[in-house]
Amino acid sequence: MPSLDEKQPLMSLSMRMFLLRRLSELTGLAVLLCGGILGAILLSANQDDPSFNTASGEEVSNWLGQTGAHIASFLFQVFGLPALLLSFALLVWGARIMMYKYLSCWRWRLVFLPISVLLISAAARGVSITTGASDTSGASGIFLYESVVSFLGKLNLPALVKPDLLATFLSIVIGGIVYIWVSGISYSQWKGAGSIITKIIGHPQRIIAGI
């Protein structure tokens, strides 16, 4: 028989596991909501919205009002269009936490998320410079890309290797690999998403007709 002096646990193991699962689900829901709110802020952004760096007499059109306009202006100025990847990563994290009750290496993912988006912003700048496409990068991406190009230009590279092309290639590869890991989507999930996107691009009329 257990001694009377032994302290009994306040709750059973099954109850503790139940509470931990519910806490994980609430955490995942909170992260999911943050991703959705950030996405709404960025998708409803308007360049004419008054913000900390835009003097405008226009009425704020951002879904989250003046605060949303400030946040959107800052993120788009820093990262450009790749800032949307911040919202996507948060949505994926929230869904994974709710489904699997955990997100491995979450501290490292949190650290490398802005770094990966910065690299992708630099890649966007490189694509714009090398192909003449419209520039969707931000100030940080421009700075990083030009710094890398300047550094590569000082190296004794073969004549066939152009610093701007190499900087673009490195930004795309490294940024893409880091973001794929950071987002937490498995290879099979990326493959499935890619096949769906390919079908939509290849047969848009069939997709629209089926809706």
Side-chain angles (χ1 to χ4, degrees):
M1 294 181 63
S3 171
L4 295 177
D5 294 333
E6 293 180 0
K7 293 184 179 180
Q8 299 297 320
L10 295 177
M11 62 181 68
S12 64
L13 177 60
S14 59
M15 178 58 70
R16 289 200 298 271
M17 295 301 296
F18 173 82
L19 292 177
L20 287 174
R21 285 194 294 268
R22 300 293 83 77
L23 180 61
S24 297
E25 291 172 356
L26 289 175
T27 302
L29 179 60
V31 175
L32 194 67
L33 287 175
C34 288
I37 292 172
L38 181 58
I41 287 174
L42 296 176
L43 290 174
S44 63
N46 189 318
Q47 62 180 0
D48 295 326
D49 281 347
S51 62
F52 68 93
N53 65 345
T54 302
S56 172
E58 300 291 331
E59 187 174 340
V60 178
S61 60
N62 195 285
W63 292 348
L64 269 78
Q66 191 68 64
T67 301
H70 288 313
I71 295 173
S73 179
F74 173 76
L75 291 178
F76 279 132
Q77 183 175 2
V78 173
F79 297 112
L81 198 60
L84 289 167
L85 295 173
L86 297 170
S87 171
F88 179 75
L90 290 176
L91 290 172
V92 175
W93 290 356
R96 286 189 67 87
I97 294 172
M98 291 184 68
M99 292 174 60
Y100 304 113
K101 308 299 182 289
Y102 78 101
L103 180 67
S104 62
C105 305
W106 66 269
R107 292 181 181 85
W108 286 110
R109 295 181 195 272
L110 192 61
V111 169
F112 280 99
L113 175 58
I115 296 174
S116 65
V117 176
L118 169 60
L119 289 168
I120 293 173
S121 179
R125 176 64 174 179
V127 170
S128 172
I129 293 295
T130 56
T131 66
S134 59
D135 189 4
T136 59
S137 63
S140 63
I142 294 173
F143 175 78
L144 177 60
Y145 173 78
E146 293 180 350
S147 298
V148 174
V149 171
S150 176
F151 172 76
L152 293 175
K154 297 176 183 178
L155 302 178
N156 294 322
L157 298 174
L160 294 176
V161 179
K162 304 297 182 182
D164 54 348
L165 292 176
L166 181 57
T168 302
F169 173 77
L170 292 175
S171 299
I172 292 174
V173 172
I174 299 174
I177 291 174
V178 174
Y179 184 79
I180 288 173
W181 176 79
V182 163
S183 66
I185 300 181
S186 65
Y187 171 76
S188 59
Q189 291 170 329
W190 274 110
K191 186 177 179 181
S195 63
I196 292 174
I197 294 173
T198 302
K199 289 179 181 178
I200 293 175
I201 294 175
H203 307 283
Q205 295 85 1
R206 186 182 301 175
I207 299 296
I208 295 173
I211 298 177

